[in-house]
Amino acid sequence: MSPMTVHLVAAARPNFMKIGPLHHELAQRTWCRPLVIHTGQHYDYNLSAAFFADLGLPEPHLHLGVGSGSHGVQTARCLEAYERVLLDEPPDWVVVAGDVNSTLACTLAASKLLIPVAHLEAGLRSWDRTMPEEVNRLVTDALADLLWTPSPDADANLLREGVDPAKIARVGNIMIDSLEQVRPRLEAIAAWRRWGLTPGEYGVVTLHRPANVDQAQALEVIIDALARAAARLPLVFPVHPRTQVRLNDFGLLSKAQAAPGLHLCEPLGYLDFMALVLKSRLCITDSGGIQEETTYLGIPCLTLRPNTERPITVELGTNRLVTPADLSANLDQALSGDWPRGRVPELWDGHTARRAADSLEMRLPA
Ligand code: UD1
């Protein structure tokens, strides 16, 4: 029997560390021919190619070149381009990851052509439909044929939505596989040296959610709060392109650059970024992935959001939801050691790709 072709759809920065370990695992299985499909949602070197290099991913089999645009435009371009690929060369399975616009578009394209879809990181819910990612998660999970969940809350969400339990496979958190695969290399990088910092005596900031960065007043309040925090603990802030554009547009860039202790830089690749996080005292973020990585590493995480689709990081881990107004009080608590020590959730153990590949193998045609 010829091997089964599996498309691994990668689109934007947070997808690459989820697809990487699964690609490596599937490439070792004789029944499988994994092909990486890059939709091109992210295209800057530091948001895309740097991750391929750091994670040992091969050149994409196909690049759809979708690029940036409004939600409608980006999703539509991706739907059209991927449908063409599926019509030309239909794979046996499509794997999509996370909750970006390409995740939704590729799921829709495959479903309509009756090609089965597996969703990696299924079942997460913030219950906040003002977040575009929540809409992407809901639609993707409603259509997918195999739902790979990271934690019990995700299973419960899917069951509540009426998903057939036979479609759900709890495999754990695949980002931890990526982290474990590179961890031996992180120690040697000493990323903190670039700013003359000391391990354990600095924080890492990331910020890119529309709710935080797309309005001048909200962004200014956050920059002011970060400036006050940086006076107490030096902060390294790799600036996402969306945030960079907004800081410029709103005339806030020079204010941020002038704040003592706040070190702005370009987005970092996976290895440099994780090396920085590994030795940090704490993180301040609105990212989904960093909430999980810090819980795994036992590092305090102050999440600048009113909700999270990853509640297990708050219940079990080291994550807390904060507002710009209470950032300073939370920083005090974290610095004084008054912070949950946290536990690592079950199945966040570096073996998620193996479990996902096994569950796909079980679904091979007889
Ligand atoms: C997207 C995802 C978000 C994810 C984030 C990680 C959606 C709805 N959002 O948000 O869930 O957390 O990626 O980064 O899919 N840009 C560049 N270079 C690039 C890509 C984008 O400069 O390589 C700029 C463009 O000005 C673009 C803007 O960033 O308009 C936003 O990019 P986009 O992909 O639309 O959303 P993100 O904010 O990156």
Side-chain angles (χ1 to χ4, degrees), residues 13 46 194-195 237-240 244 264-269 272:
R13 183 169 63 179
N46 278 359
R194 173 173 163 191
W195 295 274
F237 180 8
V239 183
H240 186 283
Q244 179 77 33
L264 273 60
C265 67
E266 72 291 351
L268 301 174
D272 285 343

Side-chain angles (χ1 to χ4, degrees), residues 12-14 41-44 47 68-69 71 74 99-102 132-133 136 208-209 240-242 245:
R13 183 169 63 179
Q41 179 171 342
H42 281 177
Y43 42 85
D44 283 353
L47 295 194
S68 301
H71 287 279
Q74 192 174 56
D99 53 19
V100 301
N101 285 341
S102 304
E133 293 81 3
N136 294 343
H208 74 281
R209 295 281 162 205
H240 186 283
R242 173 190 281 277
V245 169

Side-chain angles (χ1 to χ4, degrees), residues 16-80:
F16 305 131
M17 55 289 238
K18 294 168 193 162
I19 288 300
L22 189 58
H23 172 270
H24 301 326
E25 181 68 32
L26 291 176
Q28 288 175 30
R29 310 252 174 152
T30 51
W31 53 267
C32 190
R33 176 171 168 253
L35 299 178
V36 176
I37 310 294
H38 196 323
T39 70
Q41 179 171 342
H42 281 177
Y43 42 85
D44 283 353
Y45 178 81
N46 278 359
L47 295 194
S48 176
F51 282 75
F52 273 67
D54 286 352
L55 295 160
L57 273 165
E59 279 292 305
H61 176 68
L62 286 173
H63 205 296
L64 308 184
V66 163
S68 301
S70 68
H71 287 279
V73 166
Q74 192 174 56
T75 308
R77 271 199 217 131
C78 190
L79 179 62
E80 193 178 358

